[in-house]
Amino acid sequence: MMRTRPLKVALLGCGVVGSEVARIMTTHADDLAARIGAPVELAGVAVRRPGKARAGIPDELVTTDATALVKRGDIDVVVEVIGGIEPARALITTAFEHGASVVSANKALLAEDGATLYAAAEQHGRDLYFEAAVAGAIPLIRPLRESLAGDKVNRVLGIVNGTTNFILDKMDTSGAGYSEALDEATALGYAEADPTADVEGFDAAAKAAILAGIAFHTRVRLDDVYREGMTEVTAADFASAKRMGCTIKLLAICERAADGQSVTARVHPAMIPLSHPLASVREAYNAVFVEAEAAGRLMFYGPGAGGSPTASAVLGDLVAVCRNKLAEATGPGESAYTQLPVSPMGDVVTRYHISLDVADKPGVLAQVATVFAEHGVSIDTVRQQGKDGEASLVVVTHRAPDAALSGTVEALRKLDTVRGVASIMRVEGE
């Protein structure tokens, strides 16, 4: 039997995502009520600019006092889509203190200080759900927290930023340079006026921290994630990748060490074979590849950003939290029992694709090979082209600790016969 008294929802933020959440709550009210077992009512909307017209939202619901809204005491669920660290953190913890559960899309806050939010939720017996924080509409957090809770996840490898994937896809398919592809992404609304958070990997790094923490049952913060942007990727890099049967993606990679005693989390451009499922992810789509001991390899794919996809994830969490509220129960909280250390990037075992500008004369290849040998790095393939006293040398290594590979590159720069290091890129997905 359906409860007639509505569950009250406070919405913090009414931008692209927040306005879509409000719209779906209104237009799908009957369906949501049937799925939850009680009607849901939008009880207040906190905004920064109250004078702006907001279709479908009565003026009396709009307020600029978000703190007063979450303190009301009659609010059952707070939906936070304002982003950033503060005041979001204070508002969420205040909501818990005053009896509300929280649905958030705030990847930056969860990556920076998720432990505080988890602790506050547990202290007050409330839910903290955040499916929308990582990959838009793609169900990923809940499968990791619930569906795979009985399994052991060893690796999470994914494209978790639509802007960068669009840019790299255009560079790959059209031969465009980075600036040209970025301009197109901006014109189509895929890139912000200031794209730094996306193209320098900050957005993906926050998502990697969240994914690693859940997958490996340990606390991983944003500062633990190695981050490298994709602004230096060139058309020449794509040409080299194609010769290897690869393409280039900005990847978030979270791995459990072979001995199970540590984890790593990193974000950087990488060459991946065209045969890998992630190589076919086009345009602004996201995809995440999960490797677990019992389940094997799983791939989650779909739109990773935008108002409607993100609102879909928010509403899915809202339904789950409201059901828990009616059942006087809570869903899964933080699982960090393993307390595994996060290893630095230098300990990660990777492969490198290194392109060198060298003098076109006898003995150069032998000098380069000696440097690799001295640093304990085995060479997989070498390709050399030369003309008019100048040459290019492309070396692909076998797997080795990243610190050894970095040391190799620094030693190569000191050779008199090496004019410069044209590009360095890791090779993944094999």
Side-chain angles (χ1 to χ4, degrees):
M1 185 175 68
M2 181 178 294
R3 192 181 84 164
T4 56
R5 184 174 69 81
L7 293 163
K8 295 189 176 183
V9 178
L11 179 61
L12 308 183
C14 198
V16 174
V17 176
S19 59
E20 188 65 8
V21 169
R23 184 192 69 79
I24 295 174
M25 285 184 62
T26 302
T27 58
H28 294 198
D30 292 342
D31 286 336
L32 290 173
R35 295 165 191 171
I36 292 169
V40 288
E41 174 187 302
L42 189 60
V45 182
V47 300
R48 285 181 294 183
R49 296 184 296 274
K52 182 179 177 181
R54 293 174 174 85
I57 299 177
D59 291 341
E60 61 269 20
L61 294 184
V62 178
T63 178
T64 57
D65 193 343
T67 300
L69 178 59
V70 300
K71 282 183 173 181
R72 274 177 38 173
D74 64 334
I75 299 296
D76 295 289
V77 184
V78 170
V79 174
E80 183 271 310
V81 289
I82 57 177
I85 307 301
E86 293 292 357
R89 175 168 47 199
L91 291 170
I92 290 173
T93 55
T94 300
F96 290 140
E97 292 167 4
H98 287 78
S101 289
V102 173
V103 173
S104 176
N106 195 331
K107 55 185 170 287
L109 177 55
L110 286 159
E112 178 67 28
D113 196 18
T116 294
L117 304 186
Y118 278 124
E122 182 178 4
Q123 178 184 352
H124 297 285
R126 305 301 168 194
D127 273 325
L128 173 64
Y129 276 53
F130 48 89
E131 186 68 65
V134 172
I138 304 172
L140 183 58
I141 300 299
R142 199 166 302 160
L144 284 173
R145 286 215 292 185
E146 300 178 27
S147 303
L148 294 173
D151 207 340
K152 181 180 181 182
V153 176
N154 291 317
R155 195 171 194 233
V156 179
L157 172 75
I159 299 165
V160 295
N161 184 278
T163 300
T164 54
N165 199 58
F166 180 89
I167 293 170
L168 292 172
D169 182 48
K170 289 302 173 184
M171 293 176 69
D172 185 23
T173 56
S174 70
Y178 167 76
S179 296
E180 184 181 352
L182 174 60
D183 288 343
E184 183 175 354
T186 304
L188 292 172
Y190 291 126
E192 302 286 346
D194 179 2
T196 302
D198 295 321
V199 300
E200 294 295 350
F202 291 100
D203 175 85
K207 296 171 181 177
I210 296 169
L211 290 173
I214 296 171
F216 307 135
H217 304 280
T218 197
R219 285 182 180 170
V220 180
R221 295 186 59 195
L222 181 58
D223 290 345
D224 296 322
V225 182
Y226 172 84
R227 178 193 55 79
E228 187 179 313
M230 43 78 69
T231 57
E232 301 300 319
V233 177
T234 66
D237 291 326
F238 274 101
S240 293
K242 287 181 179 179
R243 283 191 287 268
M244 291 177 58
C246 294
T247 188
I248 299 171
K249 299 291 186 182
L250 184 75
L251 299 179
I253 306 170
C254 311
E255 294 178 305
R256 189 191 301 270
D259 63 6
Q261 300 304 303
S262 64
V263 300
T264 59
R266 51 196 165 104
V267 169
H268 55 73
M271 294 182 180
I272 58 172
L274 294 175
S275 58
H276 194 281
L278 292 178
S280 62
V281 178
R282 307 290 302 278
E283 301 271 323
Y285 277 75
N286 285 191
V288 178
F289 206 67
V290 177
E291 299 177 13
E293 282 195 357
R297 296 183 173 185
L298 309 171
M299 182 167 166
F300 301 84
Y301 169 84
S308 293
T310 305
S312 172
V314 169
L315 267 295
D317 279 352
L318 178 63
V319 169
V321 169
C322 286
R323 286 172 175 170
N324 290 345
K325 188 82 173 181
L326 292 179
E328 298 182 348
T330 56
E334 183 181 30
S335 176
Y337 69 91
T338 62
Q339 299 183 28
L340 295 172
V342 183
S343 296
M345 185 63 192
D347 292 347
V348 175
V349 177
T350 63
R351 297 180 66 201
Y352 265 25
H353 174 283
I354 305 170
S355 180
L356 304 171
D357 294 327
V358 300
D360 187 15
K361 62 182 183 180
V364 173
L365 181 55
Q367 284 186 325
V368 169
T370 297
V371 170
F372 278 90
E374 289 173 347
H375 287 79
V377 178
S378 176
I379 294 175
D380 183 13
T381 62
V382 178
R383 186 178 71 254
Q384 185 173 10
Q385 293 178 324
K387 183 180 180 182
D388 299 330
E390 297 295 330
S392 64
L393 193 65
V394 177
V395 180
V396 180
T397 73
H398 286 292
R399 291 169 62 83
D402 200 80
L405 289 162
S406 297
T408 302
V409 172
E410 290 307 307
L412 289 171
R413 295 182 193 274
K414 297 176 182 178
L415 291 178
D416 292 338
T417 51
V418 174
R419 312 297 193 207
V421 180
S423 69
I424 308 168
M425 192 166 296
R426 294 174 183 86
V427 182
E428 298 286 345
E430 296 180 310

